[in-house]
Amino acid sequence: MYRSLCDFSLGYARKGWHVYPVWSVDEAGVCWCKGDKRHVPPLCPHAGKHPLPSRDLFPSGYRSATVDPHAIRRGWKGTANIGLHPGPSGLIVVDVEAYGLAEWDRLAAVRGQSPTLTAITGGGGRHLFFRKPEGVGRVPSPVGCWPGIDIRADDSGLVLPPSVSGKGAYLWVDSEAPIAVCPQWVLVQGHGRSFSVRFGCE
Ligand SMILES: [Zn+2]
């Protein structure tokens, strides 16, 4: 049975994941944001990855993400890709670029990391989904925690499968895989210095 991107968004929302619509791309990989002054094709630097403003329902990207099925049904347009705001969804996502995969494997082997829900990104990297532990407050979204590795939580969004960006399709490695609790060594990076001092780590 055919499922639209909106159907997938509703499915994520039922799990408590906060979603928002994202521009999609045409068959040639060109972003549909034609006419959006900030992203003039063919130079859109974030083809199929940046928020799609939708009436007054989703005015500010990931900050407008919701689990409300009525807002999702009304606000989704055509083939809009799916954005996730990890923070309110109780998630912390490690965003590994393709060139950071070897570094991530090294870190995971040395410091320990349970298998967890993973998506292959359009650019050939990985999104590793972790559950935020109880009692942990805001987790910002620091960039470059390690070479080619960012953390996405309260201050950013990301694209979910089965969206297709200008670089390619997002796919779950195993959509039924469990979500592991976020490792402490990732959290420490996510919180930056204040967390490190408060908890005496690193
Ligand atoms: Zn665009």
Side-chain angles (χ1 to χ4, degrees), residues 140-173:
S141 301
V143 172
C145 297
W146 300 277
I149 303 172
D150 305 335
I151 292 174
R152 297 179 182 269
D154 283 300
D155 292 342
S156 68
L158 60 107
V159 174
L160 288 178
S163 303
V164 180
S165 78
K167 291 182 178 172
Y170 287 70
L171 303 165
W172 292 118
V173 173

Side-chain angles (χ1 to χ4, degrees), residues 31 33 39 44 46-47 50:
C31 193
C33 69
H39 299 284
C44 174
H46 307 292
H50 59 103

